Amino acid sequence: MEVVSPWRDSLRQLKKNRFALAGLVIILFFILLGVLAPLITDYAYDDTDPVNRLQPPSSEHWLGTDDIGRDIFTRIAYGARISLQVGFFAVTGALVFGTILGIVAGYYGRWVDMLISRIFDILLAFPSILLAIAIVAILGASLENALIAIAIINIPIFGRLVRSKVISLREEEFIMAARAQGMKNGRIILHHILPNSVAPIIVQATLGFGTAILEAAALGFLGLGAQPPDPEWGAMLASSRAFIQLAPWTLIVPGVCIMLVVLGFNLVGDGLRDSLDPKMKN
Protein backbone atom coordinates (compact mmCIF):
# COMPACT_ATOMS: atom_id res chain seq x y z
CA MET A 1 0.00 0.00 0.00
CA GLU A 2 1.40 3.36 -1.05
CA VAL A 3 2.03 5.80 1.79
CA VAL A 4 0.97 9.32 0.79
CA SER A 5 2.34 12.29 2.71
CA PRO A 6 -0.20 14.79 4.07
CA TRP A 7 1.10 17.54 1.77
CA ARG A 8 0.84 15.34 -1.32
CA ASP A 9 -2.65 14.29 -0.30
CA SER A 10 -3.61 17.95 0.13
CA LEU A 11 -2.23 18.72 -3.34
CA ARG A 12 -4.37 15.94 -4.80
CA GLN A 13 -7.42 17.36 -3.07
CA LEU A 14 -6.61 20.82 -4.39
CA LYS A 15 -6.32 19.56 -7.97
CA LYS A 16 -9.85 18.15 -7.72
CA ASN A 17 -11.26 21.55 -6.69
CA ARG A 18 -12.41 23.23 -9.91
CA PHE A 19 -13.01 26.59 -8.27
CA ALA A 20 -9.49 26.64 -6.83
CA LEU A 21 -8.05 25.77 -10.24
CA ALA A 22 -10.12 28.55 -11.83
CA GLY A 23 -8.74 30.98 -9.26
CA LEU A 24 -5.20 29.80 -9.99
CA VAL A 25 -5.74 30.40 -13.72
CA ILE A 26 -6.91 33.95 -13.01
CA ILE A 27 -3.88 34.66 -10.81
CA LEU A 28 -1.44 33.20 -13.34
CA PHE A 29 -3.05 35.26 -16.10
CA PHE A 30 -2.45 38.53 -14.27
CA ILE A 31 1.07 37.48 -13.26
CA LEU A 32 1.91 36.82 -16.91
CA LEU A 33 0.20 40.05 -17.92
CA GLY A 34 2.43 42.02 -15.57
CA VAL A 35 5.64 40.16 -16.41
CA LEU A 36 5.11 40.36 -20.18
CA ALA A 37 3.76 43.93 -20.21
CA PRO A 38 6.72 45.40 -22.17
CA LEU A 39 6.39 42.65 -24.79
CA ILE A 40 2.64 42.69 -25.41
CA THR A 41 2.05 46.42 -25.80
CA ASP A 42 3.54 49.05 -28.09
CA TYR A 43 2.97 51.92 -25.70
CA ALA A 44 4.51 53.14 -22.46
CA TYR A 45 2.11 53.44 -19.55
CA ASP A 46 2.70 57.22 -19.31
CA ASP A 47 2.50 57.99 -23.06
CA THR A 48 -0.16 60.66 -23.62
CA ASP A 49 -2.12 61.46 -26.79
CA PRO A 50 -4.64 64.25 -26.10
CA VAL A 51 -5.95 64.05 -29.67
CA ASN A 52 -7.20 60.49 -29.05
CA ARG A 53 -8.48 60.97 -25.50
CA LEU A 54 -11.44 58.88 -24.30
CA GLN A 55 -11.42 56.66 -27.39
CA PRO A 56 -13.54 53.48 -27.13
CA PRO A 57 -11.92 50.04 -27.46
CA SER A 58 -10.56 49.45 -30.95
CA SER A 59 -7.92 47.46 -32.82
CA GLU A 60 -5.38 50.19 -32.04
CA HIS A 61 -6.33 50.55 -28.37
CA TRP A 62 -7.77 47.24 -27.20
CA LEU A 63 -9.38 48.67 -24.06
CA GLY A 64 -9.68 52.28 -25.20
CA THR A 65 -7.88 55.37 -23.89
CA ASP A 66 -8.29 57.52 -20.79
CA ASP A 67 -8.90 61.26 -20.37
CA ILE A 68 -5.39 62.25 -21.53
CA GLY A 69 -5.05 59.64 -24.27
CA ARG A 70 -3.09 56.94 -22.43
CA ASP A 71 -3.64 53.35 -23.58
CA ILE A 72 -5.74 51.61 -20.92
CA PHE A 73 -4.58 48.09 -21.77
CA THR A 74 -0.96 49.17 -21.28
CA ARG A 75 -1.77 50.75 -17.93
CA ILE A 76 -3.72 47.68 -16.83
CA ALA A 77 -0.77 45.42 -17.72
CA TYR A 78 1.77 47.55 -15.86
CA GLY A 79 -0.74 48.06 -13.04
CA ALA A 80 -0.87 44.29 -12.53
CA ARG A 81 2.79 44.48 -11.50
CA ILE A 82 2.05 47.13 -8.89
CA SER A 83 -0.97 45.36 -7.40
CA LEU A 84 0.70 41.95 -7.20
CA GLN A 85 3.90 43.42 -5.74
CA VAL A 86 1.93 45.29 -3.09
CA GLY A 87 0.04 42.11 -2.24
CA PHE A 88 3.21 40.03 -2.01
CA PHE A 89 5.34 42.39 0.08
CA ALA A 90 2.50 43.53 2.36
CA VAL A 91 1.38 39.96 3.09
CA THR A 92 4.97 38.78 3.54
CA GLY A 93 5.67 41.53 6.07
CA ALA A 94 2.44 40.90 7.96
CA LEU A 95 3.04 37.14 7.90
CA VAL A 96 6.59 37.35 9.26
CA PHE A 97 5.89 39.78 12.10
CA GLY A 98 2.46 38.36 12.88
CA THR A 99 3.82 34.81 13.05
CA ILE A 100 6.71 35.79 15.33
CA LEU A 101 4.46 37.74 17.71
CA GLY A 102 1.78 35.03 17.65
CA ILE A 103 4.28 32.26 18.49
CA VAL A 104 5.85 34.29 21.31
CA ALA A 105 2.45 35.17 22.78
CA GLY A 106 1.00 31.69 22.47
CA TYR A 107 4.02 29.71 23.62
CA TYR A 108 5.26 31.81 26.55
CA GLY A 109 1.88 33.10 27.74
CA ARG A 110 1.50 35.14 30.96
CA TRP A 111 2.42 38.83 30.75
CA VAL A 112 4.02 38.45 27.31
CA ASP A 113 0.77 37.05 25.92
CA MET A 114 -1.25 39.77 27.64
CA LEU A 115 0.94 42.57 26.27
CA ILE A 116 0.99 41.29 22.67
CA SER A 117 -2.72 40.43 22.72
CA ARG A 118 -3.62 43.95 23.90
CA ILE A 119 -1.56 45.41 21.03
CA PHE A 120 -3.49 43.20 18.62
CA ASP A 121 -6.79 44.28 20.20
CA ILE A 122 -5.89 47.96 19.82
CA LEU A 123 -5.02 47.52 16.14
CA LEU A 124 -8.19 45.52 15.48
CA ALA A 125 -10.35 48.08 17.31
CA PHE A 126 -10.00 50.47 14.35
CA PRO A 127 -11.58 49.82 10.93
CA SER A 128 -8.69 48.57 8.82
CA ILE A 129 -9.01 51.12 6.04
CA LEU A 130 -9.23 54.04 8.52
CA LEU A 131 -6.11 52.81 10.31
CA ALA A 132 -4.31 52.47 6.96
CA ILE A 133 -5.36 56.03 6.04
CA ALA A 134 -4.04 57.32 9.37
CA ILE A 135 -0.69 55.56 8.94
CA VAL A 136 -0.24 56.84 5.38
CA ALA A 137 -1.27 60.34 6.46
CA ILE A 138 1.54 60.26 9.05
CA LEU A 139 4.17 58.73 6.78
CA GLY A 140 3.17 60.54 3.59
CA ALA A 141 1.26 59.50 0.47
CA SER A 142 3.26 57.00 -1.59
CA LEU A 143 3.09 53.41 -2.73
CA GLU A 144 5.83 52.35 -0.31
CA ASN A 145 4.06 53.88 2.68
CA ALA A 146 0.76 52.35 1.57
CA LEU A 147 2.51 48.97 1.53
CA ILE A 148 3.79 49.53 5.07
CA ALA A 149 0.31 50.55 6.26
CA ILE A 150 -1.31 47.48 4.71
CA ALA A 151 1.29 45.20 6.31
CA ILE A 152 0.75 46.78 9.75
CA ILE A 153 -3.04 46.44 9.71
CA ASN A 154 -2.74 42.75 8.75
CA ILE A 155 -0.20 41.81 11.44
CA PRO A 156 -2.82 41.14 14.16
CA ILE A 157 -4.80 38.88 11.81
CA PHE A 158 -1.82 36.54 11.39
CA GLY A 159 -0.77 37.02 15.01
CA ARG A 160 -4.09 35.96 16.53
CA LEU A 161 -4.38 33.03 14.14
CA VAL A 162 -0.91 31.72 15.03
CA ARG A 163 -1.39 32.42 18.74
CA SER A 164 -4.55 30.32 18.92
CA LYS A 165 -2.84 27.48 17.05
CA VAL A 166 0.23 27.58 19.31
CA ILE A 167 -1.91 27.56 22.47
CA SER A 168 -3.59 24.36 21.28
CA LEU A 169 -0.23 22.79 20.36
CA ARG A 170 1.85 23.62 23.43
CA GLU A 171 -0.08 21.18 25.62
CA GLU A 172 0.10 18.29 23.14
CA GLU A 173 1.91 15.15 24.28
CA PHE A 174 4.71 15.40 21.73
CA ILE A 175 5.53 18.92 22.95
CA MET A 176 5.55 17.76 26.58
CA ALA A 177 7.77 14.82 25.59
CA ALA A 178 10.20 17.22 23.87
CA ARG A 179 10.41 19.31 27.04
CA ALA A 180 10.94 16.18 29.14
CA GLN A 181 13.90 15.26 26.93
CA GLY A 182 15.50 18.62 27.70
CA MET A 183 14.86 20.24 24.33
CA LYS A 184 15.19 24.02 24.49
CA ASN A 185 12.25 26.30 23.76
CA GLY A 186 13.78 27.70 20.58
CA ARG A 187 14.26 24.25 19.12
CA ILE A 188 10.75 23.17 20.13
CA ILE A 189 9.32 26.22 18.36
CA LEU A 190 11.36 25.68 15.17
CA HIS A 191 10.99 21.90 14.92
CA HIS A 192 7.51 21.28 16.35
CA ILE A 193 5.39 24.39 16.84
CA LEU A 194 6.11 26.22 13.58
CA PRO A 195 5.81 23.22 11.20
CA ASN A 196 2.44 22.29 12.72
CA SER A 197 1.19 25.86 12.30
CA VAL A 198 2.05 26.19 8.62
CA ALA A 199 -1.30 25.08 7.13
CA PRO A 200 -3.51 27.87 8.56
CA ILE A 201 -0.77 30.43 7.85
CA ILE A 202 -0.69 29.42 4.16
CA VAL A 203 -4.47 29.70 3.87
CA GLN A 204 -4.57 33.10 5.57
CA ALA A 205 -1.68 34.37 3.46
CA THR A 206 -3.48 33.40 0.25
CA LEU A 207 -6.69 35.09 1.35
CA GLY A 208 -4.63 38.04 2.59
CA PHE A 209 -3.28 38.66 -0.92
CA GLY A 210 -6.75 39.55 -2.16
CA THR A 211 -7.42 41.75 0.87
CA ALA A 212 -4.09 43.57 0.48
CA ILE A 213 -4.73 44.27 -3.21
CA LEU A 214 -8.20 45.60 -2.37
CA GLU A 215 -6.80 47.83 0.39
CA ALA A 216 -4.07 49.12 -1.92
CA ALA A 217 -6.72 49.96 -4.51
CA ALA A 218 -8.77 51.79 -1.85
CA LEU A 219 -5.75 53.87 -0.79
CA GLY A 220 -4.92 54.55 -4.44
CA PHE A 221 -8.51 55.65 -5.06
CA LEU A 222 -8.20 58.14 -2.18
CA GLY A 223 -4.90 59.45 -3.55
CA LEU A 224 -2.86 57.98 -0.68
CA GLY A 225 -1.24 55.11 -2.57
CA ALA A 226 0.64 55.12 -5.85
CA GLN A 227 1.06 58.63 -7.23
CA PRO A 228 0.60 59.75 -10.87
CA PRO A 229 1.62 58.70 -13.42
CA ASP A 230 1.99 55.19 -11.88
CA PRO A 231 -0.74 52.95 -13.35
CA GLU A 232 -2.21 51.64 -10.08
CA TRP A 233 -5.74 50.28 -10.55
CA GLY A 234 -7.30 52.19 -7.65
CA ALA A 235 -5.83 55.46 -8.88
CA MET A 236 -7.15 54.66 -12.37
CA LEU A 237 -10.63 54.28 -10.88
CA ALA A 238 -10.34 57.65 -9.14
CA SER A 239 -9.18 59.50 -12.26
CA SER A 240 -11.93 58.03 -14.45
CA ARG A 241 -14.97 58.45 -12.17
CA ALA A 242 -15.73 61.84 -13.76
CA PHE A 243 -16.17 60.14 -17.15
CA ILE A 244 -18.43 57.25 -16.09
CA GLN A 245 -21.19 58.32 -18.50
CA LEU A 246 -19.03 59.64 -21.30
CA ALA A 247 -16.46 56.81 -21.31
CA PRO A 248 -17.58 54.00 -18.98
CA TRP A 249 -14.78 51.66 -20.12
CA THR A 250 -12.23 53.82 -18.30
CA LEU A 251 -13.93 52.88 -15.01
CA ILE A 252 -15.18 49.37 -15.79
CA VAL A 253 -11.85 47.88 -16.91
CA PRO A 254 -9.74 48.57 -13.78
CA GLY A 255 -12.73 47.74 -11.58
CA VAL A 256 -13.18 44.34 -13.23
CA CYS A 257 -9.43 43.64 -12.93
CA ILE A 258 -9.48 44.34 -9.18
CA MET A 259 -12.54 42.12 -8.80
CA LEU A 260 -11.00 39.25 -10.78
CA VAL A 261 -7.68 39.26 -8.91
CA VAL A 262 -9.37 39.34 -5.50
CA LEU A 263 -11.76 36.60 -6.63
CA GLY A 264 -8.84 34.48 -7.84
CA PHE A 265 -7.00 34.65 -4.52
CA ASN A 266 -10.21 33.98 -2.57
CA LEU A 267 -10.98 30.90 -4.65
CA VAL A 268 -7.46 29.54 -4.19
CA GLY A 269 -7.57 30.33 -0.48
CA ASP A 270 -10.87 28.51 -0.04
CA GLY A 271 -9.49 25.54 -1.96
CA LEU A 272 -6.37 25.44 0.22
CA ARG A 273 -8.47 25.62 3.37
CA ASP A 274 -10.57 22.67 2.20
CA SER A 275 -7.55 20.58 1.19
CA LEU A 276 -5.39 21.33 4.25
CA ASP A 277 -8.12 20.93 6.89
CA PRO A 278 -8.57 17.26 7.85
CA LYS A 279 -12.12 17.94 9.03
CA MET A 280 -13.06 19.25 5.59
CA LYS A 281 -11.61 16.12 3.96
CA ASN A 282 -13.69 13.85 6.12
Side-chain angles (χ1 to χ4, degrees):
M1 181 177 178
E2 181 184 0
V3 178
V4 180
S5 68
W7 288 104
R8 183 173 295 181
D9 182 52
S10 297
L11 183 60
R12 288 182 180 179
Q13 294 289 333
L14 185 63
K15 289 179 179 179
K16 296 178 182 179
N17 190 320
R18 295 182 179 180
F19 291 106
L21 292 178
L24 186 60
V25 169
I26 294 173
I27 294 169
L28 290 176
F29 169 77
F30 280 99
I31 290 175
L32 290 175
L33 184 65
V35 171
L36 300 177
L39 302 177
I40 59 179
T41 177
D42 297 327
Y43 304 94
Y45 66 81
D46 55 352
D47 282 349
T48 61
D49 185 8
V51 175
N52 292 312
R53 62 189 297 268
L54 299 178
Q55 292 295 311
S58 63
S59 58
E60 185 177 0
H61 300 284
W62 294 351
L63 297 178
T65 60
D66 64 8
D67 58 307
I68 56 176
R70 294 174 297 192
D71 183 67
I72 293 178
F73 174 75
T74 301
R75 291 179 63 78
I76 288 293
Y78 281 95
R81 290 182 172 187
I82 295 176
S83 294
L84 293 173
Q85 286 176 357
V86 167
F88 176 78
F89 287 109
V91 170
T92 300
L95 185 154
V96 171
F97 288 101
T99 299
I100 292 173
L101 292 173
I103 288 177
V104 171
Y107 187 79
Y108 291 100
R110 298 184 179 180
W111 67 269
V112 176
D113 183 19
M114 184 183 68
L115 176 62
I116 295 176
S117 296
R118 295 300 77 79
I119 294 174
F120 289 162
D121 291 341
I122 292 172
L123 291 174
L124 291 172
F126 297 93
S128 59
I129 189 62
L130 291 182
L131 182 58
I133 290 172
I135 295 172
V136 175
I138 294 172
L139 298 177
S142 70
L143 182 63
E144 293 76 14
N145 292 336
L147 189 155
I148 293 172
I150 294 169
I152 290 174
I153 64 177
N154 282 286
I155 285 175
I157 297 175
F158 286 94
R160 295 186 71 174
L161 174 68
V162 174
R163 173 184 174 272
S164 62
K165 184 66 176 178
V166 172
I167 289 175
S168 65
L169 286 171
R170 70 183 183 186
E171 302 302 330
E172 293 287 343
E173 293 182 357
F174 68 94
I175 299 295
M176 297 176 67
R179 289 200 193 103
Q181 293 175 357
M183 187 177 292
K184 295 182 179 180
N185 289 330
R187 190 173 180 186
I188 291 174
I189 290 173
L190 289 176
H191 292 273
H192 297 292
I193 297 292
L194 187 58
N196 284 283
S197 304
V198 167
I201 294 174
I202 291 175
V203 174
Q204 182 57 48
T206 306
L207 295 171
F209 266 98
T211 302
I213 290 171
L214 200 59
E215 290 165 345
L219 291 174
F221 184 83
L222 296 172
L224 298 173
Q227 300 299 301
D230 289 344
E232 197 274 324
W233 292 342
M236 291 176 65
L237 283 175
S239 64
S240 60
R241 58 184 172 177
F243 310 100
I244 186 171
Q245 294 183 338
L246 180 62
W249 58 86
T250 60
L251 189 73
I252 292 173
V253 173
V256 169
C257 289
I258 294 171
M259 183 271 293
L260 287 176
V261 172
V262 174
L263 175 64
F265 280 109
N266 286 344
L267 290 175
V268 174
D270 288 341
L272 285 171
R273 181 195 60 198
D274 295 345
S275 62
L276 293 173
D277 188 349
K279 295 179 181 179
M280 299 297 293
K281 295 177 185 179
N282 294 333

